[in-house]
């Protein structure tokens, strides 16, 4: 049986990837390596209970012995690296975990994979890939009329999160250049969709709106992000894994630049339509709050290389993807309740205290 090894497969994008991957006919089995931090949630993967094609290991990517043992046991044909500390605001409150997982963890994983790769036969070596899932935030912040980020844009990370992801990207690149490891890196824009942890803008706004709480918009609400439906990110990763050129990087984006205020207004309008309040609009709950320190003004991705070279384009528009997402949250309130009943409350108290 052929395997792929996925790190961070109990998180938002990793779990969507695993679910989508195993929905394909004839898919390789998945060895899912996840530490189950606050962001990891096995309930997201409940539909795979009893499915022998999903092998879950609660392990830390900083644990070299655990990684060696999993690689030796399952001999994956590819490693897809999603595991990370991913929330910018948390990286501002406490950067240490970001350095540990995103830099030391990626380094530890690369070392384990380098040793594993060195022992593969020629045919297995030729087929093997290490795919590193990264972010557009490594490129820094754009002005209103600057061109979108391309694969040639210089790195200029501004938050502890993006700096730690930039460091991991550089390590991945170096392992190709120095050791010949067949790596692929994807730099993606903001994702949204099912199973998104409600600390991030879109699920936070949906959750707060439904609970009658303020919708906290940072600063003037005019920061711009480029939104991509998570299923489209997963299909891009599958394309890059199948046909990407080792050593290359690929930008992934939705061609959907929106201000945060536009996003929140659209969400409120969808909720007004799908779950109207007794009186008034969800827009009445919008509250402007203190800005994020060092808040990047604009991200925008030029995903042209992926389209030209691998024929990938997003399937969802922002309108179709956001409607699906709101509908998903409305019909999965127990998943949300479960997530927000625990430690999440402490985070909200700390972040939105003022
Ligand atoms: P997430 O925070 O939802 O999930 C991260 C997962 O990694 C969790 O399941 C967590 O338990 C696991 N994890 C954390 N530390 C670990 C460790 N030391 N060992 C093993 N597992 C560990 O993150 P996400 O939003 O799904 O992001 C996944 C990846 O995609 C990240 O690398 C992120 O940088 C990148 N990315 C995210 C976005 C986005 O919009 N969310 C966009 C572009 C790129
Ligand atoms: O661009 C890709 C990145 O997108 C990923 O690498 C990160 O892992 C992911 O978290 C995301 O980072 P952002 O910081 O852009 O996402 P977030 O959802 O935290 O914020 C989106 C925008 O909304 C940002 O401009 C800050 C703003 N915001 C966010 C929150 C949580 C608010 O105005 N209010 C909020 O309460």
């Amino acid at each position: 049986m052929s395997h792929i090894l996925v790190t961070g497969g109990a998180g938002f994008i990793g779990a969507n990837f695993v679910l989508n991957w195993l929905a394909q006919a004839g898919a390789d089995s998945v060895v899912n390596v996840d530490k189950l931090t606050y962001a990891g949630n096995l309930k997201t993967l409940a539909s795979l209970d009893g499915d022998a094609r999903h092998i879950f290991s609660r392990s830390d990517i900083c644990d070299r012995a655990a990684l060696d043992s999993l690689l030796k046991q399952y001999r994956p044909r590819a490693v897809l690296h999603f595991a990370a500390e991913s929330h910018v605001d948390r990286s501002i409150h406490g950067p240490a975990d970001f350095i540990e997982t995103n830099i030391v963890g990626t380094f530890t994983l690369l070392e384990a994979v380098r040793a594993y790769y060195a022992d593969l036969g020629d045919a297995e070596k030729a087929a093997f890939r290490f795919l590193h899932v990264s972010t557009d935030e490594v490129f820094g912040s754009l002005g209103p009329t600057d061109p979108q980020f391309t694969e040639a844009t210089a790195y200029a990370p501004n938050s502890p999160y993006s700096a730690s992801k930039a460091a991991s990207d550089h390590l991945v690149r170096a392992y190709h250049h120095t050791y010949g490891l067949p790596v692929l890196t994807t730099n993606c824009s903001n994702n949204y969709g099912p199973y998104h942890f409600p600390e991030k803008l879109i699920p936070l706004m949906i959750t707060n709106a439904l609970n009658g709480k303020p919708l906290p918009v940072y600063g003037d609400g005019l920061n711009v992000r480029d939104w991509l439906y998570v299923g489209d990110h997963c299909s891009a990763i599958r394309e890059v894994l199948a046909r990407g050129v080792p050593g290359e990087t690929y930008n992934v984006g939705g061609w959907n630049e929106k201000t945060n205020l536009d996003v929140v207004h659209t969400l409120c309008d969808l909720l007004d339509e799908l779950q109207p309040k007794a009186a008034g609009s969800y827009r009445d709950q919008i509250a402007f709050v203190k800005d994020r320190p060092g808040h990047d003004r604009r991200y925008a991705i030029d995903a042209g290389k992926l389209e030209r070279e691998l024929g990938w384009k997003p399937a969802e528009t922002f309108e179709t993807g956001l409607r699906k997402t709101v509908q998903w949250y409305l019909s999965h309130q127990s998943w949300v309740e479960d997530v927000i009943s625990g430690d999440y409350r402490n985070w909200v108290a700390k972040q939105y205290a003022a």
Side-chain angles (χ1 to χ4, degrees):
M1 192 191 284
S2 157
H3 294 89
I4 60 168
L5 187 147
V6 167
T7 71
F12 164 48
I13 304 172
N16 272 284
F17 181 84
V18 170
L19 292 167
N20 292 2
W21 179 269
L22 289 175
Q24 303 172 110
D28 315 65
S29 297
V30 174
V31 181
N32 187 348
V33 181
D34 197 297
K35 184 181 171 181
L36 296 181
T37 66
Y38 79 93
N41 187 350
L42 285 181
K43 293 221 164 71
T44 304
L45 299 162
S47 62
L48 298 176
D49 283 352
D51 187 332
R53 300 171 308 155
H54 181 237
I55 300 137
F56 184 79
S57 169
R58 183 172 193 176
S59 305
D60 189 329
I61 55 164
C62 298
D63 181 346
R64 174 69 193 269
L67 296 174
D68 285 345
S69 147
L70 289 164
L71 289 165
K72 188 170 166 207
Q73 183 176 358
Y74 294 107
R75 303 188 61 76
R77 70 166 177 92
V79 171
L80 292 99
H81 180 31
F82 294 86
E85 288 293 336
S86 70
H87 191 34
V88 173
D89 292 323
R90 285 188 193 252
S91 84
I92 295 168
H93 283 280
D97 286 348
F98 289 72
I99 305 306
E100 188 62 16
T101 287
N102 299 0
I103 305 179
V104 179
T106 301
F107 164 70
T108 308
L109 180 65
L110 282 166
E111 278 291 273
V113 171
R114 178 164 80 92
Y116 166 70
Y117 178 75
D119 278 346
L120 293 177
D122 288 347
E124 288 171 302
K125 270 199 170 105
F128 184 79
R129 297 289 182 269
F130 180 97
L131 192 151
H132 176 56
V133 179
S134 193
T135 170
D136 60 357
E137 299 202 10
V138 297
F139 299 121
S141 186
L142 293 170
T145 57
D146 288 339
Q148 297 154 318
F149 301 130
T150 71
E151 288 77 3
T153 302
Y155 274 35
N158 289 320
S159 71
Y161 163 69
S162 54
S164 67
K165 289 297 290 186
S168 70
D169 292 11
H170 291 322
L171 283 169
V172 169
R173 176 191 153 90
Y175 273 64
H176 177 70
H177 191 78
T178 304
Y179 304 116
L181 198 67
V183 306
L184 301 155
T185 295
T186 53
N187 292 94
C188 188
S189 62
N190 285 62
N191 284 213
Y192 66 98
Y195 304 113
H196 203 182
F197 194 86
E199 65 188 351
K200 308 280 169 64
L201 180 75
I202 288 179
L204 179 94
M205 293 297 168
I206 299 172
T207 305
N208 281 16
L210 294 175
N211 290 324
K213 295 193 170 144
L215 309 181
V217 174
Y218 297 163
D220 61 7
L222 298 181
N223 300 67
V224 172
R225 298 292 183 265
D226 174 354
W227 294 96
L228 180 70
Y229 188 68
V230 64
D232 282 326
H233 188 187
C234 295
S235 73
I237 290 171
R238 291 197 300 273
E239 283 303 327
V240 172
L241 178 66
R243 297 188 296 117
V245 177
E248 291 288 310
T249 68
Y250 297 88
N251 281 0
V252 188
W255 308 99
N256 277 317
E257 285 187 55
K258 305 278 176 204
T259 66
N260 294 335
L261 208 49
D262 275 345
V263 171
V264 176
H265 283 158
T266 310
L267 281 172
C268 290
D269 297 349
L270 277 166
L271 285 168
D272 283 339
E273 176 196 329
L274 298 170
Q275 185 128 318
K277 299 204 315 181
S281 161
Y282 289 99
R283 286 191 186 211
D284 304 338
Q285 290 168 232
I286 293 173
F288 289 90
V289 300
K290 186 166 62 78
D291 209 354
R292 172 185 281 176
H295 197 174
D296 284 339
R297 194 63 175 168
R298 173 176 166 239
Y299 304 142
I301 279 276
D302 176 345
K305 175 176 172 181
L306 199 48
E307 184 171 345
R308 279 190 310 278
E309 297 188 5
L310 304 185
W312 176 89
K313 275 200 288 197
E316 301 290 345
T317 64
F318 189 63
E319 288 65 32
T320 60
L322 205 60
R323 179 172 286 272
K324 273 190 187 177
T325 302
V326 171
Q327 282 166 333
W328 186 88
Y329 276 90
L330 288 173
S331 58
H332 290 78
Q333 279 296 296
S334 68
W335 182 90
V336 178
E337 284 307 320
D338 212 67
V339 169
I340 65 177
S341 58
D343 221 23
Y344 175 80
R345 287 187 184 162
N346 300 330
W347 164 252
V348 170
K350 181 152 102 178
Q351 171 67 5
Y352 299 98

